[in-house]
């Protein structure tokens, strides 16, 4: 089974999108109807994309909310996999 290598935090994509659209954090915050500090925390990877934020982003920037949540899930799962000791885990054998 292949696993993605260290997927980027969705905030990185958001930052690139802002640069492409020549949009400031304040401008995006206004469009999303959130505080500028919320956008700042997202683009620096200090905050995760919540379901509510995924919906806001899908309306304001595009891509479905499922795409935004999928990026967050991929990021979270990769980091969880790095921090768990899987060596003692075995699949249960159901007869």
């Amino acid at each position: 089974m292949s696993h993605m290598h260290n997927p980027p935090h969705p905030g990185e994509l958001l930052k690139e999108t802002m640069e492409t659209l020549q949009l400031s954090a304040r401008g995006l915050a206004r469009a999303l109807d959130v505080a500028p500090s919320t956008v700042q925390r997202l683009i620096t990877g200090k905050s995760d994309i919540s379901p509510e934020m995924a919906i806001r982003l899908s309306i304001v920037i595009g891509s479905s909310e499922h795409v935004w949540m999928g990026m967050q899930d991929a990021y979270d799962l990769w980091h969880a996999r790095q921090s768990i000791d899987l060596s003692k885990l075995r699949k249960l054998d159901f007869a």
Side-chain angles (χ1 to χ4, degrees):
M1 186 186 289
S2 74
H3 295 284
M4 184 182 253
H5 297 288
N6 199 357
H9 187 278
E12 288 181 40
L13 177 67
L14 187 55
K15 188 174 182 182
E16 289 171 15
T17 303
M18 288 168 56
E19 289 166 3
T20 302
L21 299 173
Q22 298 181 326
L23 195 56
S24 67
R26 193 170 293 282
L28 180 58
R30 227 184 342 267
L32 292 169
D33 193 29
V34 298
S37 60
T38 301
V39 171
Q40 200 59 46
R41 284 194 310 274
L42 277 175
I43 63 177
T44 56
K46 292 186 173 83
S47 282
D48 292 344
I49 303 259
S50 65
E52 294 82 3
M53 181 57 73
I55 293 168
R56 289 173 188 266
L57 288 168
S58 72
I59 293 167
V60 171
I61 290 184
S63 294
S64 78
E65 58 260 32
H66 298 287
V67 169
W68 289 104
M69 289 307 300
M71 285 189 282
Q72 187 64 59
D73 286 346
Y75 178 83
D76 291 343
L77 283 168
W78 189 88
H79 284 275
R81 188 170 282 280
Q82 307 316 303
S83 64
I84 298 172
D85 177 7
L86 304 174
S87 64
K88 295 184 178 117
L89 301 181
R90 299 286 175 264
K91 183 164 176 41
L92 291 174
D93 187 16
F94 295 103

